[in-house]
Amino acid sequence: MPQARRLLPALRPGILLLADRGYDGCQAIRDAASTGADLLWRVQSGRLLPVIQPLPDGSHLSQILDRRSGDHLAAWQRRKRSTSPPALTAMTVRVIRYQVTVTTADGRQHTSMVRLITTLLDPARHPAAELAEIYHQRWEIETAYYGLKVTLRGPDRVLRSHTVPGVEQEIYALLTVFQLTRTAIHDTAHSAGLDPDRLSFTIALRTTHHTVINAAVPAPTTPATTALAVLLHPRNLTDRRRRSRVSPRCVKRTLSPYAYNKTAGSVGRKAPATITITLTPQPDPTGTASP
């Protein structure tokens, strides 16, 4: 979290900040919200989020409590509310609960439940389904990590330098090439009116390599670069080439001398998939904790 706090000065009104459930501490949420940015954060399943007011789109208003207030509220609920509610230090948020179902081409399904909180409290201006879809796209960062660590660097390839300055230089070089390639993809997609997801990072990287090797630099007046023409070639935009797909996540154990566990259905496999997001209203509208 200390590293994440260093990014707070970059936030400002008009920004929508997405974060994973590892950052759902009350103080972190307050600090981020105090910048004026809007929040859309996933929260852990055990967090107490009482229903303050149900909303028409299936979401509901709730309050994020600090640790002490949460303990007081839990104790009051255990007493079956025989006394007056305790004084609480809280922040009003909106809770969105939905189910994600991933169906692969062979019919196998995987289902998970997601709970989000947001400071966008108006369901008319910011429908729950739209926010759920936005948060789901957050997982595309995993594809970006893969592109940086595997596609760009090369599988099973380690950094060549044996000194700290050399390693830093290599890392900065990889990050620079990655950012430039992603920028080219974004600009190309924007000029063609496409979602950047439709353009392949691998194709962009290979085209860049060939352009540099062949010294095939287009003239400044050329309306479209080689990379743009290749990225937008119909052959590279077909559904077969750019389909929705899933790839199981696997983290190699740091101290293990063995490679990834490549058992059936684990790693080294990308499968076409259909992803369905279904809003599920809070099942307990009485004001108790969410499951």
Side-chain angles (χ1 to χ4, degrees):
M1 190 57 197
Q3 293 86 351
R5 290 187 183 278
R6 295 172 59 184
L7 301 176
L8 293 181
L11 300 178
R12 62 183 183 275
I15 288 179
L16 178 62
L17 177 64
L18 281 65
D20 203 351
R21 53 189 169 186
Y23 297 91
D24 71 340
C26 180
Q27 191 60 47
I29 294 172
R30 287 183 181 175
D31 291 345
S34 67
T35 65
D38 292 307
L39 310 182
L40 182 62
W41 286 18
R42 187 175 181 180
V43 293
Q44 300 182 36
S45 58
R47 174 173 284 279
L48 186 68
L49 292 172
V51 179
I52 305 300
Q53 179 184 342
L55 298 174
D57 62 351
S59 62
H60 69 270
L61 297 182
S62 186
Q63 292 183 325
I64 289 289
L65 310 176
D66 59 21
R67 183 180 297 274
R68 177 173 297 181
S69 296
D71 292 342
H72 290 170
L73 179 60
W76 177 70
Q77 289 180 330
R78 286 195 299 269
R79 292 195 297 268
K80 299 181 180 179
R81 308 173 189 178
S82 57
T83 61
S84 300
L88 304 175
T89 301
M91 172 182 169
T92 301
V93 295
R94 179 172 160 220
V95 181
I96 300 171
R97 189 171 182 267
Y98 63 93
Q99 179 177 281
V100 179
T101 302
V102 177
T103 306
T104 57
D106 57 7
R108 287 183 294 180
Q109 289 189 339
H110 174 73
T111 301
S112 59
M113 189 66 66
V114 178
R115 224 175 21 147
L116 307 177
I117 59 169
T118 180
T119 54
L120 300 171
L121 305 182
D122 187 351
R125 293 185 58 191
H126 309 286
E130 180 179 310
L131 294 179
E133 181 66 30
I134 289 174
Y135 185 82
H136 182 72
Q137 290 195 16
R138 176 193 168 276
W139 291 106
E140 293 174 4
I141 190 62
E142 299 291 341
T143 304
Y145 291 153
Y146 187 89
L148 176 61
K149 296 190 295 184
V150 179
T151 307
L152 177 60
R153 185 172 60 90
D156 300 324
R157 177 182 174 185
V158 298
L159 298 177
R160 295 169 294 178
S161 301
H162 298 280
T163 64
V164 173
V167 170
E168 291 180 346
Q169 184 180 33
E170 283 191 74
I171 292 176
Y172 274 110
L174 290 171
L175 290 173
T176 300
V177 173
F178 179 81
Q179 294 287 7
L180 290 174
T181 305
R182 284 294 181 189
T183 300
I185 290 175
H186 173 271
D187 294 345
T188 301
H190 180 73
S191 65
L194 296 172
D195 188 324
D197 295 344
R198 298 287 297 158
L199 305 185
S200 169
F201 178 79
T202 302
I203 293 175
L205 187 62
R206 289 175 179 174
T207 304
T208 303
H209 284 170
H210 294 159
T211 302
V212 173
I213 292 173
N214 298 326
V217 180
T221 56
T222 303
T225 64
T226 303
L228 186 148
V230 172
L231 285 170
L232 297 181
H233 194 285
R235 177 186 59 193
N236 297 325
L237 293 176
T238 62
D239 292 337
R240 184 180 65 83
R241 294 292 298 274
R242 303 297 300 159
R243 61 184 182 270
S244 297
R245 55 202 183 278
V246 294
S247 180
R249 175 195 289 182
C250 183
V251 179
K252 184 178 185 297
R253 291 177 294 172
T254 305
L255 301 179
S256 172
Y258 303 103
Y260 293 108
N261 178 20
K262 294 186 177 180
T263 57
S266 60
V267 177
R269 175 185 64 87
K270 291 185 178 181
T274 300
I275 300 174
T276 305
I277 298 177
T278 306
L279 294 176
T280 56
Q282 173 67 24
D284 183 8
T286 61
T288 58
S290 298

